[in-house]
Amino acid sequence: MKRKLIAAVGVAGMLMSVAACGGDDGDSGEKAGADGFKGETLTVWAMDGSTPPGWTKDLTAAFEKKTGAKLKFETQKWDGIQQKITTALSESTPPDVIEVGNTQTPAYAATGGLADLSDLKSEIGTDWAENLNESAVFDGKQYAAPWYFANRVVIYNKKVWADAGIKGTPKTRDEFFDALETIEKKTDAEPMYLPGQNWYFFDGLTIGQGADLVKKEGDKYVSNLSDPKVAAAMEIYKKYQSFSKAPKDKDEATPQQAEVFAKGNVGAIVGMGWEAGTAIAANKKIEKDIGYFTIPGESADKPEGVFLGGSNLAVAAGSKKQELAKEFLKMALNDKFEGALAKENGVIPNKESLNSVLVGNVVAEAAAPAAAQGGTTPLIPEWAAVENTPNPIKTYMTAVLKGKSPADAAEQVEAEINKRLSQSS
């Protein structure tokens, strides 16, 4: 499973949405031009929070003026959304345009529920960032378009760092380790809060090492957890975790790491930008002390690899409004509206040339450089079962942190991973 580390960008983990139940049954395939779709309604299901008001208002007005059709957004809740999309795509009147999570896109494509958008890619997507677009491709065909992304950053307590005498922020991994060691020696603070099972941070480290979590054997995928590159990533994670008192058998939500950070006695956490808001909600006084920086890599010119969570836009294969749906995608994904969405929501756009719109947003500015080194979990339909609770990779991580060698820990869980990979998608 190849995860490219090419330029571009990547909210935990994992955004998904849906496109709409079509209005009338008219076939728009032969219509074109201004007012060519008059009387039709294109419905777009978008996830809660994905379509900010200013962007939605302006895009709707521009779309209706250009096409003569109506545009209807229907906001979806996260709870139960995967089953809702699956059901909708199997019906005779499925959604027209759907927002789908980037890592879930291959599963929907594999069922035949998504339209082939290869022609759209050649028309408007030649400069989409390659690593962002990778999740929209399945079996060599373009089944979606990359929309927006987010990734983890270091959220740090400026006061703790100042008390330790640290000036500036680290630009390399070793400088980061040195800073954590200084906090440990010169203050009473916990240098870093990092529970043993912050799995998506670990996934980013494997991406940084050029490691793949699965490999192909014959016609099936199997675990690649025993790869020395994966072990190298885990050793980096282990060193970070050595600066933390967090439990080795819990993840960042148990307890919420942002609420631990909010108490003011932790130097740093690795998390999504919104987690700072969680910390501030728990302790308003900490707001003035919060800062952000890019997760540093081995060298100053190449940040750490990160997991890119985000959303793609797709057209339902069964939609009777294929051409109108593509008109929507052409407009929503052009530089004007893609840039406006990134600016208003503070998310990473689908091409590097638009990163300039993030200037002034401190979280997005910290996230964008690492996104160029970002990737995802394996982009195969079978992968979803691997992350089901209990996630065997979390078990692997805890085992290493409690003293097992990476090789022995991998051997302990690989049979379970292979069993899950063999399940029907």
Side-chain angles (χ1 to χ4, degrees):
M1 185 70 237
K2 191 160 177 156
R3 291 185 290 175
K4 296 181 178 136
L5 308 176
I6 304 180
V9 194
V11 124
M14 303 118 28
L15 298 172
M16 245 176 78
S17 236
V18 184
C21 289
D24 66 270
D25 292 333
D27 185 352
S28 304
E30 296 181 0
K31 299 179 183 180
D35 294 330
F37 302 97
K38 191 172 183 179
E40 296 193 24
T41 298
L42 188 80
T43 310
V44 178
W45 286 0
M47 296 311 296
D48 190 15
S50 293
T51 51
W55 179 87
T56 304
K57 178 182 177 181
D58 292 344
L59 176 58
T60 299
F63 175 83
E64 294 184 353
K65 181 179 180 181
K66 179 181 180 182
T67 65
K70 296 294 183 183
L71 181 60
K72 182 181 181 183
F73 284 99
E74 292 185 352
T75 301
Q76 305 297 318
K77 298 296 184 183
W78 292 107
D79 188 33
I81 190 60
Q82 293 190 43
Q83 185 56 50
K84 189 171 184 179
I85 293 175
T86 300
T87 300
L89 290 176
S90 69
E91 294 175 343
S92 59
T93 56
D96 300 310
V97 176
I98 57 177
E99 177 191 347
V100 292
N102 60 337
T103 60
Q104 286 81 33
T105 304
Y108 295 124
T111 67
L114 305 182
D116 184 350
L117 300 179
S118 298
D119 58 340
L120 192 75
K121 167 67 165 66
S122 62
E123 184 176 351
I124 67 169
T126 55
D127 54 351
W128 289 339
E130 187 171 348
N131 65 335
L132 296 185
N133 186 55
E134 198 173 23
S135 67
V137 177
F138 180 71
D139 276 353
K141 293 184 179 180
Q142 190 82 31
Y143 283 104
W147 192 21
Y148 68 87
F149 305 86
N151 55 268
R152 284 161 178 76
V153 298
V154 180
I155 303 170
Y156 75 107
N157 187 316
K158 295 177 182 178
K159 183 179 184 304
V160 170
W161 285 51
D163 289 346
I166 302 170
K167 297 180 179 179
T169 54
K171 300 298 184 288
T172 67
R173 189 188 303 137
D174 284 343
E175 288 178 4
F176 194 6
F177 286 143
D178 288 345
L180 296 174
E181 189 171 327
T182 300
I183 293 170
E184 189 171 56
K185 290 179 178 178
K186 295 188 176 182
T187 76
D188 294 328
E190 183 176 2
M192 184 179 199
Y193 183 84
L194 180 64
Q197 297 183 346
N198 191 329
W199 142 242
Y200 285 111
F201 176 40
F202 171 63
D203 185 57
L205 296 177
T206 69
I207 291 166
Q209 293 299 306
D212 294 321
L213 295 176
V214 298
K215 60 185 177 182
K216 199 80 178 283
E217 282 189 356
D219 61 351
K220 64 181 180 179
Y221 287 97
V222 298
S223 171
N224 195 39
L225 208 59
S226 59
D227 187 335
K229 292 179 181 178
V230 177
M234 190 60 218
E235 291 294 351
I236 295 170
Y237 190 100
K238 185 176 181 178
K239 185 165 184 178
Y240 276 121
Q241 214 276 329
S242 71
F243 292 101
S244 177
K245 300 174 184 176
K248 294 178 172 60
D249 59 353
K250 303 293 182 184
D251 64 20
E252 67 275 21
T254 317
Q256 288 290 339
Q257 65 175 6
E259 294 178 355
V260 177
F261 180 79
K263 296 176 181 178
N265 200 40
V266 169
I269 59 174
V270 173
M272 303 299 295
W274 57 261
E275 292 185 71
T278 301
I280 294 166
N283 176 18
K284 180 68 175 175
K285 293 180 181 178
I286 202 171
E287 183 171 11
K288 66 182 185 305
D289 296 325
I290 294 179
Y292 312 86
F293 60 87
T294 307
I295 304 172
E298 186 173 356
S299 60
D301 62 340
K302 186 178 179 182
E304 187 57 83
V306 290
F307 170 79
L308 299 173
S311 279
N312 297 326
L313 289 174
V315 176
S319 168
K320 296 178 175 63
K321 299 173 184 155
Q322 297 287 319
E323 294 305 315
L324 185 58
K326 290 178 182 179
E327 287 300 317
F328 169 80
L329 293 182
K330 290 175 187 177
M331 188 168 289
L333 299 169
N334 69 23
D335 284 3
K336 176 182 177 180
F337 287 108
E338 177 72 9
L341 180 79
K343 185 177 181 65
E344 194 169 351
N345 267 2
V347 292
I348 306 298
N350 62 15
K351 58 180 71 173
E352 257 194 313
S353 61
L354 293 177
N355 283 353
S356 58
V357 305
L358 303 175
V359 173
N361 184 316
V362 291
V363 179
E365 285 187 302
Q373 313 302 325
T376 67
T377 51
L379 293 169
I380 55 175
E382 298 89 345
W383 179 256
V386 176
E387 292 192 48
N388 288 341
T389 303
N391 183 338
I393 299 181
K394 289 184 175 183
T395 302
Y396 160 85
M397 294 170 69
T398 295
V400 173
L401 295 174
K402 288 188 174 182
K404 277 186 179 280
S405 70
D408 287 345
E411 185 177 2
Q412 175 184 330
V413 301
E414 283 196 310
E416 176 61 23
I417 293 174
N418 291 341
K419 176 183 175 183
R420 297 187 186 197
L421 288 170
S422 68
Q423 295 174 8
S424 298
S425 59

